[in-house]
Amino acid sequence: MLRAAWTLIADGTFQEHLTASLLRVGYGLLFGIVLGLGLALISGLSRIGENFVDANMEVLRAVPNFALVPLLIVWFGISEVPKILLITLAVAVAIYINTFSAIRSVDAALVEAARSFGAGRAEMIYRVIIPGSLPGFLVGLRLALTASWLSLIFAETINAKKGLGRMMTDAREYFQIDIVFVLIAVYAMLGLVSILVVRFLEGRLLTWRRAYDGD
């Protein structure tokens, strides 16, 4: 396994495929976070928005991600668009579900206190709703990062010429078990890095929150 890893790194194959996968995940995360947050705010702050958005997002969550692959190929062909869109949808659902739930779980006493101090709607959203829903968003972000790597595997079955999923498919077809183990280790490391990133953000953004820390 170590020899296979060194060979892939030495000839530049690994770096080339990893870069392609990171770009797809990066774009998918960017678009998915923006979409998920936007829909969560629309749905969480408005009953009309909730009636229009929430049911559709719940249906989308119930549909297996890989089941969307044929539809995306029919609609968008075999370009980069369906690959990035598949990751975007997975990320958006994870962000939406957790952020929406967090918005609706904000302490009503804090909202009433803000109103009693004369806070307008915009100030209340900025001062109360967003800070109160931030922990839920970060939970969603953790799940979204995991979902993005899982979706990448399915996305790179759409005629991808480069990417970790392409490497995995080729290794499976040619019975290159050592490369399969290398790629499994890479996916594990990427997942670990994703968790560390979210924990870093939690440490920076949630310093105000008093909670049980396990001691």
Side-chain angles (χ1 to χ4, degrees), residues 28-212:
L29 281 171
L30 176 62
F31 299 145
I33 289 172
V34 171
L35 178 62
L37 272 179
L39 292 176
L41 289 172
I42 292 172
S43 185
L45 300 175
S46 168
R47 289 293 181 185
I48 297 176
E50 179 183 1
N51 293 335
F52 179 74
V53 175
D54 191 58
N56 292 304
M57 294 301 289
E58 290 290 348
V59 169
L60 188 58
R61 181 177 69 161
V63 176
N65 198 256
F66 62 85
L68 300 174
V69 172
L71 288 176
L72 295 177
I73 293 175
V74 171
W75 290 339
F76 301 103
I78 55 175
S79 64
E80 287 296 304
V81 174
K83 300 177 182 64
I84 294 173
L85 187 55
L86 191 69
I87 299 170
T88 297
L89 291 174
V91 171
V93 168
I95 293 292
Y96 170 82
I97 295 297
N98 289 276
T99 306
F100 170 72
S101 177
I103 290 174
R104 287 302 174 87
S105 300
V106 171
D107 194 342
L110 295 177
V111 176
E112 292 300 324
R115 286 175 178 166
S116 67
F117 280 104
R121 182 173 178 80
E123 187 177 6
M124 185 169 61
I125 292 173
Y126 176 72
R127 300 281 186 181
V128 179
I129 302 299
I130 291 179
S133 59
L134 190 57
F137 164 75
L138 291 173
V139 172
L141 181 60
R142 181 177 296 195
L143 296 175
L145 287 167
T146 302
S148 68
W149 294 115
L150 292 175
S151 298
L152 178 70
I153 298 174
F154 298 114
E156 291 183 337
T157 63
I158 307 175
N159 197 41
K161 296 180 180 179
K162 298 178 183 178
L164 298 177
R166 177 77 260 174
M167 288 183 69
M168 181 70 79
T169 300
D170 290 342
R172 182 189 63 206
E173 290 180 355
Y174 294 107
F175 298 100
Q176 297 171 315
I177 304 302
D178 51 350
I179 295 180
V180 171
F181 279 112
V182 169
L183 293 174
I184 290 174
V186 169
Y187 279 120
M189 290 299 297
L190 291 172
L192 178 60
V193 170
S194 300
I195 292 173
L196 292 176
V197 168
V198 176
R199 287 184 177 177
F200 173 79
L201 292 175
E202 288 174 344
R204 293 286 183 174
L205 299 177
L206 301 181
T207 54
W208 52 269
R209 189 179 65 166
R210 297 180 63 187
Y212 176 63

